[in-house]
Amino acid sequence: ELHSYDPIVFSRIPSDEEFETAFGQALTFKPDVRKVIKDSSKKTPKPTYYGIEITPENDLPFLIDQLFEESPQSDISFWNSLKKNERVQERFHVTLIHCANRNTDPGSWNKYNGSVFKRDLIELSKNDTNLRGKDFPLPCTKATADVSLIRLCWSNRLMCFEVKVSNIKDGEGNPIDIEPNNGYTHITIGTANESIKAVDSGKLLKELHDFGSDEGGSPIRTLEMVFPIVLEELPIHVFF
């Protein structure tokens, strides 16, 4: 039939035997070139930051109430405002390192994601391919840390605890060789409004360390712990 449409291109009509031979060869043909398509679901996910989760049994709002009760001379008005306006965070954490550090300290950021927690990231990606906006404890290392509350600090914009991180270890009690890399370590308690970000706690603490706190004129107030309160073996989470 093709010959009747274009006798020049299809100048010769194959025999029935040639048709059968060609058809058989087509059925058994196997290509020599293979294209390898990578499975994107197996890529190591990219975290936004790592942090120490303050577990619910460590009731920080209750603790702050107790601190102000024990220090009646301290100005409690901002704390009352945070509670009244529902500006106290529902969850609390200590940021250990943020993805922004990959520009200022790529060695530390790569260490967290590489030799230290890579197995955890791969394991998490196996169970959930859509990790964005979620956070998880580390399933392989089961890493934990202790957090010491040093002092409560606040201005008319935000309130936070200055803290010290120690005893970072895996689930078997072996030390993990990482350090916090987020400036002055802290727990943000709340901010006066949505335009004020939790990251500003670090700026407040830097100002406090650089210039000090003068109860007579400084906008920064502090409430020192007589003895540091230590929250032990808190889980380290990865946040996506």
Side-chain angles (χ1 to χ4, degrees):
E1 187 175 346
L2 292 173
H3 175 74
S4 64
Y5 282 109
D6 196 332
I8 297 176
V9 176
F10 303 100
S11 58
R12 189 179 70 84
I13 301 175
S15 66
D16 291 343
E17 183 179 350
E18 288 174 323
F19 267 122
E20 290 179 4
T21 300
F23 184 69
Q25 290 175 343
L27 291 176
T28 58
F29 174 75
K30 292 183 179 180
D32 294 328
V33 179
R34 296 183 180 181
K35 183 177 181 181
V36 178
I37 300 175
K38 294 182 179 180
D39 185 355
S40 60
S41 65
K42 294 183 179 180
K43 289 183 179 179
T44 302
K46 296 181 180 180
T48 301
Y49 63 97
Y50 293 85
I52 304 168
E53 179 79 1
I54 309 301
T55 50
E57 60 267 24
N58 296 292
D59 190 340
L60 296 187
F62 176 78
L63 175 60
I64 295 171
D65 284 335
Q66 295 296 109
L67 291 174
F68 277 115
E69 285 184 13
E70 295 170 3
S71 304
Q73 75 281 4
S74 297
D75 183 2
I76 197 175
S77 59
F78 184 70
W79 173 235
N80 286 337
S81 175
L82 288 179
K83 293 190 291 184
K84 179 182 178 181
N85 296 318
E86 299 183 346
R87 294 298 304 163
V88 178
Q89 294 191 170
E90 295 182 0
R91 294 176 62 188
F92 305 99
H93 70 271
V94 180
T95 298
L96 289 172
I97 192 169
H98 192 276
C99 63
N101 295 104
R102 65 189 169 199
N103 298 321
T104 58
D105 189 356
S108 293
W109 179 247
N110 292 336
K111 184 177 183 179
Y112 270 78
N113 292 312
S115 60
V116 180
F117 296 131
K118 185 173 183 178
R119 287 192 303 123
D120 299 281
L121 299 179
I122 293 173
E123 185 65 27
L124 288 170
S125 67
K126 290 178 182 178
N127 300 324
D128 191 340
T129 56
N130 183 20
L131 298 173
R132 187 59 54 196
K134 302 176 184 178
D135 66 277
F136 304 89
L138 299 161
C140 298
T141 56
K142 297 178 171 59
T144 63
D146 296 348
V147 173
S148 300
L149 307 181
I150 306 301
R151 56 181 168 176
L152 184 67
C153 309
W154 70 97
S155 65
N156 61 356
R157 301 179 72 249
L158 59 86
M159 176 177 283
C160 67
F161 272 111
E162 183 175 7
V163 306
K164 179 181 179 181
V165 175
S166 61
N167 196 24
I168 302 176
K169 60 185 180 181
D170 64 21
E172 296 180 354
N174 302 308
I176 297 178
D177 184 23
I178 54 174
E179 295 289 338
N181 194 320
N182 192 44
Y184 295 102
T185 48
H186 59 270
I187 303 169
T188 300
I189 300 300
T191 63
N193 56 64
E194 292 182 359
S195 68
I196 303 169
K197 305 303 180 184
V199 69
D200 289 344
S201 291
K203 298 176 183 178
L204 180 145
L205 292 178
K206 185 178 187 306
E207 182 179 344
L208 182 61
H209 281 264
D210 288 348
F211 303 108
S213 173
D214 179 1
E215 288 295 329
S218 173
I220 302 175
R221 299 287 186 264
T222 62
L223 189 53
E224 304 282 341
M225 307 291 111
V226 178
F227 299 101
I229 298 172
V230 182
L231 312 179
E232 296 182 332
E233 297 187 343
L234 300 175
I236 295 178
H237 280 216
V238 56
F239 295 75
F240 294 96

